[in-house]
Amino acid sequence: GQQLNQSPQSMFIQEGEDVSMNCTSSSIFNTWLWYKQEPGEGPVLLIALYKAGELTSNGRLTAQFGITRKDSFLNISASIPSDVGIYFCAGQRMDSSYKLIFGSGTRLLVRP
Amino acid sequence: GAVVSQHPSRVICKSGTSVKIECRSLDFQATTMFWYRQFPKQSLMLMATSNEGSKATYEQGVEKDKFLINHASLTLSTLTVTSAHPEDSSFYICSARDTGADTEAFFGQGTRLTVV
């Protein structure tokens, strides 16, 4: 099935550092979503973006919807150990199906 | 956010048997639910869209006769893995959209299926 290109694949950083990850697609999406998944759990929505160019924050998280509608990034500032997990981007198609296409994920490890 | 509950969270079954997984929206009605499969260290892959009162829509490459989906009410969708084989072992996750609100879908906690 179709997937979005998400990078980096994994990151191992020091507590307090900032993190950036991004997703790109050859297709246009009308919504971009960022999720966090912890082991053995379902994804939890972090941020939803609905307009091209939109920049949205949720605490230490900031995400932007690319102008071309084909990309998005997520930044995490001042990382803490509980940020550990796998982060997925997801694009929602421009039709009424509401189907989500997921990125390949970014595995984040934070060293205390 | 809205709550989506999956049951069971873990199941082990023998090859050749069938397993049913339930997905319930606890505090909202969901006309549409989605079923995903996730293999270890991989992303979520959409298997099918479950529509209340009608047939499910399957993604390309997903066998509809093997993965039976029933969405008989606005709060419950079931996925039955028929004649399970070890290669069906995976993490199955459902999501549901609140029909009455223009919100994103919420995910269940997932079901770990192991076929031995």
Side-chain angles (χ1 to χ4, degrees), chain A residues 1-3 31 33 35 37 40-43 45 48 50 88 92-93 97-100 102-105 107, chain B residues 32 34 36 38 41-46 49 57-59 91 93 97 102-110 112:
Chain A
Q2 182 186 357
Q3 276 195 341
T31 301
L33 305 161
Y35 290 88
Q37 185 180 30
E41 299 289 333
L45 182 64
Y50 302 103
F88 290 100
Q92 185 167 294
R93 294 180 177 174
S97 70
Y98 295 101
K99 291 181 182 179
L100 293 182
F102 278 83
S104 49
R107 183 179 299 271
Chain B
T32 304
F34 303 91
Y36 296 83
Q38 185 179 31
K41 297 188 178 181
Q42 293 189 21
S43 187
L44 285 75
M45 300 301 292
L46 180 65
T49 303
T57 305
Y58 290 82
E59 295 299 301
F91 194 53
I93 311 172
R97 285 191 68 250
D102 188 18
T103 63
E104 301 311 321
F106 295 92
F107 284 82
Q109 70 271 40
R112 171 74 59 195

Side-chain angles (χ1 to χ4, degrees), chain B:
Chain B
V3 178
V4 176
S5 177
Q6 262 183 260
H7 179 80
S9 57
R10 291 176 176 272
V11 58
I12 301 174
C13 71
K14 292 184 178 180
S15 288
T17 62
S18 296
V19 174
K20 181 185 285 188
I21 303 170
E22 294 185 347
C23 179
R24 293 181 184 273
S25 56
L26 297 187
D27 52 359
F28 64 97
Q29 293 185 329
T31 305
T32 304
M33 293 186 177
F34 303 91
W35 287 97
Y36 296 83
R37 181 167 52 184
Q38 185 179 31
F39 291 108
K41 297 188 178 181
Q42 293 189 21
S43 187
L44 285 75
M45 300 301 292
L46 180 65
M47 298 175 67
T49 303
S50 173
N51 303 298
E52 187 268 336
S54 63
K55 291 182 179 180
T57 305
Y58 290 82
E59 295 299 301
Q60 191 173 7
V62 178
E63 300 176 55
K64 62 179 181 180
D65 294 329
K66 180 167 182 65
F67 299 100
L68 300 179
I69 291 173
N70 184 279
H71 194 154
S73 78
L74 286 171
T75 59
L76 174 64
S77 174
T78 61
L79 169 68
T80 301
V81 183
T82 63
S83 186
H85 291 284
E87 56 265 32
D88 297 324
S89 298
S90 188
F91 194 53
Y92 292 86
I93 311 172
C94 71
S95 72
R97 285 191 68 250
D98 186 339
T99 304
D102 188 18
T103 63
E104 301 311 321
F106 295 92
F107 284 82
Q109 70 271 40
T111 297
R112 171 74 59 195
L113 169 63
T114 303
V115 184
V116 298

Side-chain angles (χ1 to χ4, degrees), chain A residues 1-101:
Chain A
Q2 182 186 357
Q3 276 195 341
L4 303 177
N5 297 313
Q6 185 172 346
S7 64
Q9 189 174 31
S10 63
M11 301 182 75
F12 189 18
I13 62 171
Q14 187 73 39
E15 181 177 1
E17 291 183 353
D18 297 343
V19 172
S20 184
M21 58 193 78
N22 69 84
C23 273
T24 61
S25 170
S26 57
S27 304
I28 292 174
F29 291 104
N30 64 335
T31 301
W32 280 91
L33 305 161
W34 285 92
Y35 290 88
K36 179 185 179 185
Q37 185 180 30
E38 299 192 17
E41 299 289 333
V44 174
L45 182 64
L46 299 174
I47 292 182
L49 303 159
Y50 302 103
K51 294 182 187 177
E54 179 182 355
L55 184 70
T56 298
S57 293
N58 178 8
R60 293 179 296 107
L61 278 59
T62 301
Q64 183 157 32
F65 191 149
I67 292 290
T68 64
R69 293 180 175 270
K70 295 182 179 181
D71 63 298
S72 176
F73 72 74
L74 174 71
N75 287 341
I76 305 173
S77 63
S79 59
I80 59 178
S82 60
D83 289 335
V84 166
I86 303 177
Y87 292 80
F88 290 100
C89 63
Q92 185 167 294
R93 294 180 177 174
M94 297 187 73
D95 57 29
S96 60
S97 70
Y98 295 101
K99 291 181 182 179
L100 293 182
I101 307 299

